[in-house]
Each structure stands twice: as C-alpha cells, then as structure tokens.
Amino acid sequence: MRKRLAAFIRTEPEGGPSSAGTSVFWILASSASGLLIIGWLLPWFVGPYDAGVGYSAQDALVSSPTGIGTILIYILAVAMVILFVSPFAEAFMRFRGRTFGPRADRIRLYLGIAGVVLTGVVWLLYRVLGEEPLFGSLQPGEISDSAIWLTMYGFALAALVYGARPWVIGRQTLAFGTAVLPFGIFLPLMFHQAPDFLLWAAGSLAIYMLLALGLNVVVGFAGLLDLGYAAFFAIGAYACASFASPIHNIHWPLWILIFLGAAIASLFGAILGAPTLRLRGDYLAIVTLGFGEIVPDLATNNVFNLTGGPNGISGIDQPHWGFMDFSESPRWYYWSLLLVSIAVIVLLYNIERSRVGRAWVALREDEVAAAATGINTTTTKLLAFAIGASVSGLAGAFYGSLVTVVTPDDFSFSVSIAVLSIVVLGGIGNIAGVILGAVILTFVIFWALPNMDAWSTTLSSTVHIPALANINFSSYTYIIYGLALILMMLLRPGGLLPSRARRIELESAGESESLAAVQGIA
Amino acid sequence: MSDQSGTPGAAPGGTGGRTGAVTLVDQGNLGPRTSEGSSFFGAVTPIFRFLYSLISKNFGALLLALIVLSIFGTFLQGGATLMGNQIKNALVLGAIYALVAIGYTMVYGIIELINFAHGDVFTVSGFYAIFIANTLHLNSLATSSFGGLLLALAIVFPLSMIAAGLTGMAIEFVAYRRLRDAPRLAPLITAIGVSFLIEGVMLVREGPDYVTTGQASWINGTAFTIGKVAVGYTDLFVVGTALLLMFALGAFVQRTRLGKAMRSTAQDRTAALLCGIDINRTISATFFIGSALAAAAAVIYSINYGDVKWNIGFRLGIIAFTAAVLGGIGNIVGAGVGGFLIGLIYVFGGSLIGGAWSEALIFAILVLILTFRPVGLFGVEVTTRA
C-alpha cells in the first residue's frame, strides 16, 4: 500500500533527476497557480464581490478592459496561455516517450523575453495615456486592467525563468522558486483593493514562507529539530515593536529594524544552541521547545518592563517613504516582502551550496564522519542555528510592523508547529518544497478553514441541518498540523517535493545495500 | 566514536560496565559528542575546565543547596505555615511529575525517543476518567460512603489506566513502530505530530475551556495538622498512590520476565532479539505501562485539582521531561526522585521569585543540567559504544 502510494505520487522518474522532474514541479506550480487565477478572475465575470451578498450577477463588462491597451493585452494573454500550457504538453509528450527537444525551451525563453518587454510597454502606455493608474480606486473584488497586465507579467517572467533553465545549469530550484513566487504567493498583490482577508492571507503566507525557509536551514540542511522556532519570531517582532513604537519613544525605520531583529534573534539562537549542540538532537528539540514556551511567558510577565505585558506593544510605526505610504494599504508590505523573500531565497540557495552548506549535509548524514574530515561540528551547528534564527527574526520584524500590535499570544507553540508542518509537508531540506508547503498550508489554514465555517453555516440554513452550522472548522487546525506531520513522515518522508539527497537518506535508511550504493555515487 | 575522557563534559566517576540499577538506557550515548578540535569548549582555559568539572561533579549537591536555600527563604518570607504548606504542595505536584516522568524515561530508555505525545496521553486520560466516572455514576457512589469511595477508586483507576495504556500502544503501533530504523528526525516529528493530533481532537471534542471533573469532592477532610499546616486526606492519597505505583513498577521491572525483557531490550535490541525476546511486544508493553502511569497521574490530578483542560498535559509534559533528565534519562528511580525535586523547585522557586516565573526557572534548570551534567543526577557514565 505504502509503496504503491509512493509510486503514485512520485515526482522524479526512476532514472534520477532530470528535466522531467522539474517539469513535474512546473505542473504542480502551474496547476496551483491556475486554480488561484481562476478564483481571482471569477469576480471579473460574475460581478463584484459584496461582503454581505457574495458574488452578484452584475454587468461584468463594467470592469472589463477597454481602450488602446486591450488588444495588446489579449494578444499577450493568448501568447502567455500557450506558454502556460506548453509544459503540460511537454510532460504529456514525455509520458508518451517523446520530447520537444531543446527547441521548446528556446521558444519559451524568447517568448518570455518578448512577454516581459511587451507587457512593460503596455504598462508604460497605460501610464502615459493615464487610462488607469497602476493602482486606481476600484471597488473591492473588482480587478483592474493593470492587474491583468501584472498577471501576464507574472506568466511571462515565469516562462522566461523556466525557459532559461537549461542555460543556467543546476539552478532548477532557484528557477522554480522564482517561478512560483509571482503565481502562488504574490498574485493577490497585483489585485488592487482586494478583499481584506485576501491581503491578510497573502501577508501571512509571505511571513510563514520566510519562517519556513529559516526553519528549513535548521531542520532541513543541518538536521537539527527546532521546536521553539516561534521564539525567534517573537524576538524579532518585539525588537521591531520596541524600537518603533511609542512604548519607549524610539522610532527607528523598518529597514534598520529588520536587520536588528535578525541580529538579535541569531544572537539568541547561538546562546540557546551552545549548551545543547554538543548533545544529541533530541535534547536540542526539548530545549528549543522549552525556550519557545518561555519567551512568550517572559513577554507576558513584562520582563524588565520592556514588553508591555499580556497586552503586548501596540501602535508600532508604519513607514512612509515618498509615495509609499505603508499605513495606507498593506500592499507596500507585500512588495517589500516580495523583495525580501527573493533575497532570502537566493541567499539560502547559495548558502546551501557553499562550503558551510556542504558541511551541514555532512553533519546531518554522519556526525562522526564529518568531524573526522575536519568539520568543526559545534561551530557548524551553531551557524545553522544562528542563520535559521536570523531569518525568523527578520520575518518577525516585518510581522510587527505589518500588524502594528504584537502580543505574547501571537507566538505560541502552534506557530512553531505550523512552520514545522510547512517544512515537513513541502519537503525537508528543499527550498522549492518549502515554498510549495507554505502556499498549501497557509491556503488551507487562513483561507479554506475560515471559509468552510461560513460555507457550512450557509449550507445548514439552506438544507436545514443545524448541526452543520455548529462545526467550527477553524478549531481543526491542530488536527491538520498533526495529521500532516504524521502522514508525511510515514508515507512520504521527503515531503511533496523531496530534495534528492534527503529522499535517498530517508528512504534507504536501514537498507545498507542501497545506502552503500548512494555513498558510492556521492 | 573516540573515547571522550579528554572532553570536559564527560561526567566523572564512570567506572564502565552496566550496573544492576533500574536503568533502562545505554547512558553512554548521552555524553558530549565534541571532537578534539572543537573550538567552542576545547579552547577554554584550564580554570574554566576546573570550574566546569567542579560544578559537574557536585551538581546534585548544588541543586539541593539551592532547594534548601529557597525553602529557607520561604520560611523567612512567610513563616513556618507558608513553608509547610508549600512543602505539601511541592510533594503533591512532585508525585504527579514523577509518575509522568517515569513514562518519558521508560520510553526513552527502550527506544531512545522523546515521546512528545506522553503529556497529551496524560490529558486524554483525565478525560477518560471523567467519561468513566460519569458513565458509571461514580461521583455519587464515591461521595456516599467510604466503601463506595474505595469501590469508585478501584473502578476508575484500572479502567482509565487500561484505556490510556491501549492509547499508548496504539500511538506506538501507528506512529513509531515503522520508523524505528528511520533517521532520528522522523520519529521525533511524528511524535510531535501525534501530540498535536491528540490535542486537536481534545480541543474539538471538549472545547477550549477547563472541564470540571467532579472528582475534586471524592476525598475530603483533614487527616492531621502539624502546627498550622493542615494535611488533607487528598494529599496523603496523592503521594501514597504515587509512591505505591512507583515501587510496584520497580518490582515489576526487576522481578518479572517482562521487566527483564525490557531491560535487555534497552541495553541491546539486537542481542535481545537473538535471545528470543519479542521486541515488538516488549516495546508495546513499555508504552502500555508508561501510559498507564500517566493515566494514574491524571486521575490523581483530577481528584486533587478538580479540572482538566485540553492542553494541560503539554507544559506538564515538558516539566516532567525535565524531571526525567534530572534523574538521568532511562533511570526509573531517577525519574521518581527527579519528579519530587522538580516539584520542590517549581513550588519554592515560584514562591520566591513569583509564580509566573516557575516555568522559566524549570527551563533554566533543564539547560543547566544539559550543560553541566547531561547524564543526570543518577546517571552512570559508561564507555561509549564503538
């Protein structure tokens, strides 16, 4: 049963990693983003979304694009849809035993470049003609022309990155990460005046993705279990709150604070790690677990009068730079988070392949052997811990500034477990997998479950089953985390998108024969 | 792995060889894994080394001194009555910690896994006890007469212990058994997953608030008073039951065939297998016993405190685990003693520096133990496996 299931959802062919594996990544990303796009385009066809009524069947043409850019946009749309479909076609061909050959990638590359350039031109036209400013005032749920442009831009960018893949050797993960970003994660930003819950969900998604990327360094790369990761998140958020709020009357800019938050968090990570890193990983798990419980406690107890007690710190500054007024709309946060996420992904990707990253892998696979080859195990582990904590601190600083109020309850143990679930679900040690995991899990937790509450209430009044309305789906989050952790570990320990080394390690444990084979290859 | 005698973390007094004590773990694995080239602790000055070994050698004495000092501090603060009451509270709390800690230590001893779900088995047993008592109308029976109370206790203890034991076995069978040979990270992650799953189910079923057990009224009255400190029958019952169960467990592990099988499985699983011991059955039995003790602790808890909540077991679990580490993980007697010590630290530390800090204090103790004496107070350093 387990083998059959594993074979069914296996992403990589038996022959090892090839571009076919990547094209399956592509399919996953494309279908996820396709669903999202359909969801967001829906109001365009059925009329605006009204919070009280739902989608009303209003004249859809009101908000449909008109004017000089329209034709260009439709042409672009067709081109981009072709690009969008082509990996599916390619995967189908591969399934039938044939391939398009390198020409397909070349075509995608050229089309991608053309798409990026053309959409840029359209955008300029829009700006010059003033038909619609980039973010005009629209009703909630309406979708602006520039939003469609931006969607197309995302398609084009992804096609470009994906098409350039064969020329950038060994950059599949990076390509995938960059391709997923515009689709799955930051698409909501492109829609001006999106419903608030959507903006919040997108914000949570970006924050959780950063957290998961940081935890992935500790759990995935170095193989140490950190169960108190929310503590570093809290430290970053409280650092931001202390230095940019009326509580101590200090008002530092956010860009300094994200580095400050990262630095303080990594310092705490090193302090916490030092006594336990000499011991076995289990002890690190329990110590971090305790730490994760204690930090919110300290905040609740208002340690040194710094943290404001159980009510936390409120009134955190929101930056205002020129035309970027962060308090006016959360979207500037999204754009900043987009930049920061890309920077973090690129950074971590490079660290993974650096000398330190290889030392982590060696340590994870066999600590004794790693020490014998001259790796300083303590320093290497501490580095993993500090780097992981610093990403968390950075995300925390952003979080504090975004929500403007931090309270101890925001950093409970369930946050640590949510982040761990993202890493385990997506793929331990694989950046692309972690991004995918963040998309899936935050979608479920922040969008699907709260909506299911509303749907079940509506359904119960329609079909007259009062019991349906009483089900509080939001309270099922713990069960979802728990099941995700257990099932993934039992059925697919590498996660949805396993990193190759990790998958081999996890699946061949106990089979000395294949392990030897792997070691022979590596 | 190389001999570790040169590293400062190695606990002194290691004579090698396993003792006949009630020890379920190969303690050698707990030693520090620093290599000779470690710059972090390797390059420290001899003075630091000396201080380290001094603290490490006398860790137990230092801890006891701290406890005695804090008891004395409480005496100065609130007089003999407060001190006496706090000692009573500490022993009651310690008894519960000790029973839960034994479950941690047994499981760690036999399969070297921190069973994160153990604290939640404690909570779920509290709900089992409520369910059993309500279904069989034990609350009115227990409050009717002394004989009724004994009968109610004789029903609720075994039933909830069996239910919890079966739960523990199921957890082991579903979540840990097939990961026994997997990398260490995998069972740890499923353990935390099981913990969350159980908590989630309890949250959905029982709601987010405290649930009154109705068992707080089972045992009433004051047994005797020392000075102004009233010792209730409940307190005697809690500590007495805990001690009784612990001695019963000690006898079981030392005297019975299954206990012997457990000890040998803990020492060397392969060799035990070669001797004809059914490993799966032995590990299942360990989970059953550990969970049953957690259930006993839960019943005691609900009789003493009167309410349970979906997530009480989580923090209690961390504290009990600290007790297990303090006593030397894998060591059943150590877990028992560690539970009572942690109870004292929790209560008296809390009364001195404020109750809100008790858990931070326990956590600090955990870090100190792991830094200075990772094998625990009663742990025996044995030579590392090759």
Side-chain angles (χ1 to χ4, degrees):
Chain A
M1 175 65 194
R2 188 191 149 193
K3 278 226 171 107
R4 208 182 299 163
L5 207 72
F8 179 68
I9 47 182
R10 187 183 299 282
T11 54
E12 285 183 10
E14 289 297 334
S18 66
S19 58
T22 315
S23 87
V24 179
F25 294 166
W26 174 257
I27 289 172
L28 276 172
S30 309
S31 32
S33 55
L35 283 173
L36 290 171
I37 289 163
I38 290 168
W40 278 312
L41 285 183
L42 191 68
W44 190 40
F45 295 111
V46 297
Y49 179 85
D50 188 341
V53 185
Y55 292 112
S56 58
Q58 215 176 315
D59 185 3
L61 290 176
V62 171
S63 59
S64 66
T66 50
I68 192 166
T70 314
I71 298 163
L72 267 175
I73 281 207
Y74 282 130
I75 293 172
L76 270 174
V78 173
M80 294 309 144
V81 166
I82 293 171
L83 279 179
F84 183 64
V85 171
S86 72
F88 290 97
E90 193 179 325
F92 182 68
M93 294 283 284
R94 208 179 286 276
F95 178 68
R96 300 288 300 273
R98 279 179 291 170
T99 52
F100 283 146
R103 182 175 291 175
D105 276 326
R106 201 174 289 275
I107 291 170
R108 263 195 296 269
L109 178 68
Y110 293 151
L111 273 177
I113 294 172
V116 169
V117 172
L118 272 176
T119 45
V121 169
V122 177
W123 178 73
L124 271 179
L125 275 175
Y126 264 52
R127 296 292 285 180
V128 170
L129 296 175
E131 278 197 354
E132 186 209 42
L134 184 56
F135 296 108
S137 66
L138 293 168
Q139 292 302 308
E142 270 186 320
I143 290 162
S144 66
D145 291 355
S146 21
I148 295 164
W149 163 77
L150 282 165
T151 314
M152 293 308 149
Y153 194 85
F155 275 114
L157 197 66
L160 188 145
V161 172
Y162 184 73
R165 177 180 44 85
W167 286 273
V168 193
I169 297 157
R171 291 286 190 270
Q172 276 114 338
T173 310
L174 195 62
F176 176 75
T178 328
V180 162
L181 272 174
F183 289 121
I185 302 165
F186 293 102
L187 208 61
L189 324 184
M190 301 168 180
F191 295 82
H192 182 50
Q193 297 282 346
D196 268 359
F197 78 89
L198 201 63
L199 292 175
W200 281 113
S204 314
L205 170 53
I207 300 267
Y208 272 84
M209 192 186 72
L210 279 176
L211 287 175
L213 285 169
L215 185 64
N216 185 42
V217 173
V218 185
V219 177
F221 296 167
L224 307 163
L225 188 55
D226 183 347
L227 292 175
Y229 199 61
F232 305 118
F233 185 42
I235 288 168
Y238 269 98
C240 169
S242 305
F243 288 101
S245 77
I247 184 168
H248 305 303
N249 216 6
I250 307 172
H251 298 277
W252 287 6
L254 179 65
W255 289 122
I256 293 177
L257 289 178
I258 59 173
F259 292 109
L260 185 76
I264 296 177
S266 67
L267 184 72
F268 271 93
I271 291 172
L272 181 72
T276 45
L277 286 176
R278 299 179 302 129
L279 300 167
R280 277 185 15 181
D282 317 25
Y283 284 89
L284 186 70
I286 199 92
V287 166
T288 50
L289 177 66
F291 185 66
E293 287 292 291
I294 293 310
V295 165
D297 269 17
L298 295 182
T300 312
N301 295 341
N302 200 359
V303 56
F304 305 129
N305 282 326
L306 283 178
T307 58
N311 295 327
I313 301 176
S314 54
I316 299 168
D317 295 347
Q318 294 191 303
H320 190 285
W321 300 311
F323 65 97
M324 293 169 72
D325 184 1
F326 280 66
S327 61
E328 163 215 338
S329 154
R331 71 167 172 274
W332 296 118
Y333 281 106
Y334 300 132
W335 289 115
S336 335
L337 277 166
L338 171 64
L339 288 177
V340 169
S341 307
I342 291 176
V344 167
I345 288 170
V346 171
L347 196 72
L348 292 181
Y349 183 85
N350 284 324
I351 289 179
E352 188 192 357
R353 270 147 191 79
S354 71
R355 187 187 171 86
V356 176
R358 280 177 276 127
W360 285 336
V361 174
L363 210 62
R364 185 183 76 198
E365 304 286 334
D366 190 333
E367 194 173 332
V368 178
T373 51
I375 292 171
N376 186 337
T377 54
T378 315
T379 318
T380 312
K381 280 183 188 173
L382 270 184
L383 204 59
F385 222 65
I387 290 176
S390 72
V391 176
S392 184
L394 184 149
F398 253 110
Y399 176 79
S401 184
L402 176 67
V403 299
T404 72
V405 181
V406 292
T407 59
D409 295 341
D410 299 344
F411 309 103
S412 62
F413 183 55
S414 58
V415 175
S416 302
I417 294 306
V419 178
L420 182 67
S421 307
I422 288 171
V423 174
V424 169
L425 181 75
I428 301 175
N430 188 10
I431 292 177
V434 169
I435 297 170
L436 182 71
V439 172
I440 293 175
L441 214 62
T442 44
F443 179 77
V444 170
I445 301 298
F446 293 102
W447 192 78
L449 285 182
N451 277 340
M452 272 167 77
D453 282 343
W455 294 336
S456 66
T457 311
T458 320
L459 193 66
S460 77
S461 60
T462 318
V463 298
H464 302 291
I465 303 173
L468 267 180
N470 296 331
I471 302 174
N472 183 8
F473 284 98
S474 298
S475 63
Y476 283 73
T477 44
Y478 275 56
I479 296 180
I480 287 174
Y481 294 147
L483 281 180
L485 290 177
I486 300 169
L487 293 180
M488 291 314 288
M489 272 298 133
L490 290 179
L491 298 176
R492 198 172 162 80
L496 291 176
L497 293 183
S499 78
R500 183 166 170 253
R502 195 77 190 171
R503 189 168 62 88
I504 293 168
E505 181 199 346
L506 283 161
E507 284 182 359
S508 65
E511 305 164 21
S512 54
E513 205 176 43
S514 58
L515 197 65
V518 170
Q519 281 158 350
I521 293 163
Chain B
M1 195 164 173
S2 65
D3 182 26
Q4 292 173 342
S5 55
T7 53
T15 50
R18 295 178 177 88
T19 61
V22 198
T23 302
L24 275 183
V25 74
D26 179 7
Q27 306 259 359
N29 272 357
L30 303 179
R33 294 191 126 193
T34 37
S35 59
E36 285 301 315
S38 162
S39 70
F40 194 77
F41 280 99
V44 290
T45 57
I47 300 166
F48 186 90
R49 238 171 234 255
F50 174 72
L51 281 177
Y52 183 93
S53 71
L54 202 67
I55 299 175
S56 172
K57 265 179 202 161
N58 304 307
F59 193 81
L62 285 172
L63 199 70
L64 271 179
L66 266 178
I67 293 173
V68 170
L69 271 179
S70 59
I71 292 177
F72 188 64
T74 313
F75 175 71
L76 290 183
Q77 250 183 3
T81 314
L82 180 70
M83 187 184 81
N85 274 323
Q86 293 289 49
I87 288 179
K88 188 186 74 184
N89 293 341
L91 289 180
V92 168
L93 205 56
I96 292 165
Y97 289 151
L99 282 180
V100 180
I102 286 172
Y104 276 109
T105 221
M106 286 179 74
V107 167
Y108 196 95
I110 205 155
I111 54 171
E112 301 194 343
L113 166 76
I114 298 177
N115 182 10
F116 284 108
H118 193 61
D120 300 297
V121 170
F122 169 86
T123 324
V124 99
S125 322
F127 286 112
Y128 287 154
I130 295 178
F131 177 76
I132 292 165
N134 287 348
T135 315
L136 304 176
H137 304 289
L138 294 182
N139 282 331
S140 52
L141 176 71
T143 44
S144 62
S145 66
F146 183 66
L149 172 68
L150 284 185
L151 186 62
L153 289 176
I155 293 170
V156 80
F157 264 99
L159 282 185
S160 46
M161 281 167 83
I162 288 169
L166 293 177
T167 311
M169 280 168 72
I171 290 170
E172 193 270 334
F173 183 76
V174 173
Y176 305 147
R177 179 165 293 185
R178 59 186 80 179
L179 294 177
R180 216 174 274 161
D181 294 320
R184 302 200 56 82
L185 203 58
L188 275 179
I189 289 174
T190 49
I192 204 83
V194 170
S195 164
F196 247 58
L197 183 64
I198 296 176
E199 281 188 22
V201 170
M202 283 188 292
L203 177 65
V204 168
R205 249 190 79 83
E206 309 287 344
D209 299 318
Y210 276 99
V211 177
T212 311
T213 60
Q215 291 160 12
S217 56
W218 280 22
I219 304 173
N220 293 311
T222 307
F224 53 88
T225 44
I226 308 170
K228 285 178 187 165
V229 183
V231 179
Y233 284 114
T234 319
D235 306 322
L236 291 181
F237 168 75
V238 167
V239 178
T241 316
L243 287 178
L244 190 74
L245 283 168
M246 280 185 250
F247 281 115
L249 177 75
F252 175 81
V253 171
Q254 280 302 91
R255 301 280 161 93
T256 61
R257 282 179 68 86
L258 189 55
K260 197 185 251 181
M262 281 177 189
R263 281 181 289 142
S264 52
T265 309
Q267 279 191 0
D268 191 328
R269 200 186 300 159
T270 318
L273 191 66
L274 289 174
C275 295
I277 292 169
D278 186 344
I279 302 291
N280 285 338
R281 192 171 139 263
T282 311
I283 293 176
S284 276
T286 309
F287 270 85
F288 184 91
I289 294 170
S291 305
L293 287 176
V299 176
I300 290 175
Y301 183 97
S302 57
I303 288 176
N304 193 49
Y305 296 104
D307 48 13
V308 285
K309 193 179 155 185
W310 61 282
N311 64 355
I312 49 164
F314 177 65
R315 288 205 164 191
L316 195 140
I318 300 179
I319 298 171
F321 180 80
T322 308
V325 174
L326 178 63
I329 195 132
N331 186 332
I332 291 173
V333 175
V337 177
F340 282 104
L341 285 179
I342 287 292
L344 284 169
I345 295 171
Y346 188 93
V347 169
F348 281 101
S351 82
L352 273 191
I353 58 175
W357 297 98
S358 302
E359 273 155 10
L361 183 69
I362 298 292
F363 170 66
I365 295 280
L366 176 62
V367 171
L368 284 180
I369 303 167
L370 292 180
T371 311
F372 289 108
R373 203 173 160 84
V375 291
L377 294 184
F378 304 97
V380 186
E381 182 78 3
V382 293
T383 45
T384 355
R385 252 196 290 238

